[in-house]
């Protein structure tokens, strides 16, 4: 693995797992507490054995906040954490981040053979891994850190490999100052040698590896969903709709009266199939027929009031007219990041209105070239991007990441 090379041998080699308690003490206020781990099941799910010092640390302390700075994650679950989900998300981020390195220096990432395997993170957002290519013996795996702010002396590249095992790395963070000879690379710390129960895992329970999941789509269905299918049939295959879509307790005619205009038929068909909810955890469609607060018309009014307020100070950045002006922007969906999707209400035929995306963190772009169904389908296939639009990564499987979550009947739509 062609990352920044180690600068110092592992000083903890004679220490081993038994030395770990020698520089660690339980936190006086939040003492650690172990969580039972079925190591055979966990290691079978991972496809590899894990280092003995890590297993001993987990068995003795459970999930810990080490030195008030490093979270060492062990197989457990809580309302805000799932070990398998955390590994999956951390490894995905690592695969994306490694593209900043020259191609021949990009590390493999688990579950690739010899890939980096995550074991912790820091309060600064650094991710900590084992380099499983370092040895066939997990007890000899060394630490790789993806530093959020880069590594001084390493051209500010974020990746750094340390010739230290987990125990060695932790022991070097617990010090009064820099040692002589200098430690192997820009280490985190000095940290206090305390282990505390991770605050957001106060009720952590044993974690069970997920059972293998059969593919949701057959090869032929995948081809239709990702390649050859069109329209709502392809969209519903790729992104299954709920059994009971949530629209609200009113009707389209009443909404048209309130807005002073009917809405496009394509939008009505999408809503009657999917209803209100969130697409791929990011794009939120409101309840259009809701007759009690928060109403769809209130959402429209608040968004347009905000847009006009912004345009007063920076008209060059906010070039759209707003509904009900001719060709004005009429929003119907928003993102969790504060972006908005709507129409330009040009002409008397709503079915001819072009879509427009108002990005929060990018310049205003032109109207979209596709209609709503084709736009959603292209986006869920990972083939559509516009400035500000949250898109899948090129290595993501759209069948896995394309999804729609319907809001429950007793769940209020989010505020604009």
């Amino acid at each position: 693995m062609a990352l920044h090379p180690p600068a110092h041998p592992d000083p903890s080699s004679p220490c081993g797992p038994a030395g770990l308690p020698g520089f660690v003490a339980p936190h006086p206020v939040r003492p650690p507490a172990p969580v039972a781990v079925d190591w055979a099941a966990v290691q079978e799910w991972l496809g590899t054995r894990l280092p003995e010092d890590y297993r001993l640390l987990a068995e003795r302390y459970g999930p810990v906040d080490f030195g008030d700075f490093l979270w060492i994650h062990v197989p457990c679950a809580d309302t805000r954490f799932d070990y398998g989900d955390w590994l999956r998300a951390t490894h995905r981020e690592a695969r994306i981040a490694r593209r900043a390195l020259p191609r021949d220096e990009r590390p493999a990432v688990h579950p690739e053979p010899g890939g980096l395997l995550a074991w912790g993170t820091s309060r600064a957002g650094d991710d900590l891994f084992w380099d499983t290519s370092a040895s066939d013996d997990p007890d000899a795996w060394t630490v790789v850190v993806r530093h959020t702010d880069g590594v001084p002396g390493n051209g500010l590249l974020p990746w750094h490999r340390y010739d230290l095992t987990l125990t060695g790395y932790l022991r070097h963070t617990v010090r009064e100052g820099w040692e002589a000879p200098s430690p192997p690379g820009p280490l985190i710390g000095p940290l206090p040698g305390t282990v505390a129960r991770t605050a957001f895992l106060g009720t952590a329970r044993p974690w069970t590896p997920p059972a293998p999941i059969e593919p949701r789509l057959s090869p032929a269905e995948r081809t239709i969903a990702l390649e050859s299918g069109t329209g709502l049939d392809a969209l519903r295959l790729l992104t299954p709709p709920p059994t009971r879509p949530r629209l609200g307790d009113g009707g389209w005619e009443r909404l048209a009266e309130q807005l002073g205009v009917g809405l496009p038929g394509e939008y009505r068909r999408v809503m009657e199939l999917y209803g209100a909810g969130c697409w791929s955890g990011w794009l939120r469609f409101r309840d259009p027929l809701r007759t009690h607060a928060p109403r769809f018309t209130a959402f429209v009014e608040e968004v347009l009031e905000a847009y006009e307020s912004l345009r007063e100070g920076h008209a060059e950045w906010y070039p759209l007219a707003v509904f009900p002006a001719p060709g004005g922007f009429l929003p119907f969906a928003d993102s969790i990041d504060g972006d908005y999707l709507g129409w330009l209400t040009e002409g008397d035929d709503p079915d001819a209105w072009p879509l427009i995306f108002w990005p929060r963190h990018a310049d205003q772009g032109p109207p979209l070239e596709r209609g709503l169904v084709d736009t959603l389908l292209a986006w869920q296939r990972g083939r559509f991007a516009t400035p500000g639009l949250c898109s899948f990564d090129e290595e993501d499987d759209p069948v896995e990441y394309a999804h729609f979550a319907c809001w429950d009947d007793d769940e209020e739509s989010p505020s604009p």
Side-chain angles (χ1 to χ4, degrees):
M1 180 171 56
L3 300 179
H4 193 67
H8 196 278
D10 185 346
S12 67
S13 54
C15 179
L20 184 62
F23 62 91
V24 168
H27 193 282
V29 178
R30 286 189 292 118
V35 177
V37 178
D38 184 344
W39 291 111
V42 170
Q43 292 177 137
E44 180 180 3
W45 181 77
L46 288 170
T48 181
R49 292 187 299 115
L50 292 170
E52 185 182 4
D53 56 355
Y54 171 77
R55 288 185 280 117
L56 290 175
L57 181 148
E59 291 171 1
R60 181 167 183 176
Y61 301 118
V64 294
D65 182 349
F66 182 90
D68 294 327
F69 191 72
L70 297 177
W71 287 304
I72 301 177
H73 291 310
V74 304
C76 68
D78 207 328
T79 55
R80 296 173 56 189
F81 179 85
D82 178 274
Y83 175 72
D85 291 344
W86 171 74
L87 277 182
R88 179 171 171 266
T90 304
H91 292 161
R92 177 179 181 269
E93 291 171 5
R95 283 192 292 270
I96 294 171
R98 68 182 174 180
R99 296 195 201 111
L101 297 171
R103 186 170 295 275
D104 61 351
E105 296 182 14
R106 296 175 185 175
V109 178
H110 187 82
E112 300 171 48
L116 300 180
L117 177 58
W119 56 264
T121 189
S122 80
R123 276 185 160 81
D126 310 302
D127 291 321
L128 301 101
F129 306 85
W130 289 291
D131 177 6
T132 68
S133 70
S135 174
D136 293 334
D137 179 8
D139 293 334
W141 287 349
T142 50
V143 169
V144 171
V145 180
R146 184 169 74 90
H147 294 273
T148 301
D149 297 325
V151 179
N154 190 27
L156 293 182
L157 291 174
W159 300 89
H160 196 96
R161 178 167 63 90
Y162 299 87
D163 196 13
L164 296 166
T165 63
L166 171 65
T167 296
Y169 186 84
L170 295 179
R171 190 159 75 92
H172 257 293
T173 68
V174 180
R175 61 187 187 280
E176 295 181 357
W178 296 107
E179 301 175 2
S182 61
L187 287 169
I188 292 170
L191 304 178
T194 58
V195 283
R197 166 55 73 93
T198 301
F200 58 85
L201 294 176
T203 58
R205 61 185 183 276
W207 179 76
T208 302
I213 300 175
E214 291 295 323
R216 181 170 65 83
L217 300 179
S218 69
E221 289 173 328
R222 279 186 65 93
T223 299
I224 295 172
L226 299 178
E227 302 286 345
S228 62
T230 59
L232 276 175
D233 289 340
L235 183 61
R236 68 190 302 163
L237 186 60
L238 177 58
T239 310
T243 55
R244 189 165 64 90
R246 167 176 148 172
L247 287 169
D249 52 348
W252 293 111
E253 295 79 7
R254 180 175 179 179
L255 178 60
E257 292 175 359
Q258 293 171 339
L259 289 172
V261 66
L263 297 183
E266 188 176 34
Y267 168 75
R268 297 198 304 269
R269 290 190 292 274
V270 169
M271 295 307 298
E272 287 167 357
L273 181 60
Y274 288 92
C278 193
W279 293 77
S280 294
W282 189 76
L283 184 62
R284 305 182 297 192
F285 278 47
R286 305 305 177 110
D287 325 44
L289 307 182
R290 189 183 183 107
T291 60
H292 56 284
R295 296 181 178 87
F296 181 79
T297 50
F299 164 74
V300 171
E301 291 167 0
E302 291 180 27
V303 174
L304 296 184
E305 182 180 345
Y307 192 92
E308 287 187 310
S309 175
L310 292 168
R311 189 175 58 180
E312 287 178 2
H314 301 281
E316 70 279 15
W317 296 345
Y318 301 94
L320 304 179
V322 300
F323 180 81
F329 173 55
L330 174 57
F332 63 86
D334 70 337
S335 80
I336 62 174
D337 295 320
D339 313 279
Y340 293 90
L341 180 65
W343 302 280
L344 295 181
T345 54
E346 299 172 348
D348 297 329
D349 182 7
D351 292 331
W353 292 345
L355 287 174
I356 188 77
F357 183 68
W358 170 29
R360 180 181 179 186
H361 300 294
D363 293 337
Q364 179 63 58
L368 306 184
E369 297 179 356
R370 302 177 175 93
L372 180 58
V373 171
D374 288 344
T375 295
L376 287 172
L377 181 58
W379 177 54
Q380 294 283 273
R381 284 173 167 172
R383 295 180 184 173
F384 173 69
T386 191
L389 182 71
C390 179
S391 301
F392 300 147
D393 182 68
E394 63 186 49
E395 296 185 62
D396 291 337
D397 179 3
V399 174
E400 180 181 359
Y401 282 88
H403 62 87
F404 178 83
C406 181
W407 286 319
D408 297 330
D409 287 336
D410 59 352
E411 181 182 4
E412 289 194 356
S413 300
S415 302

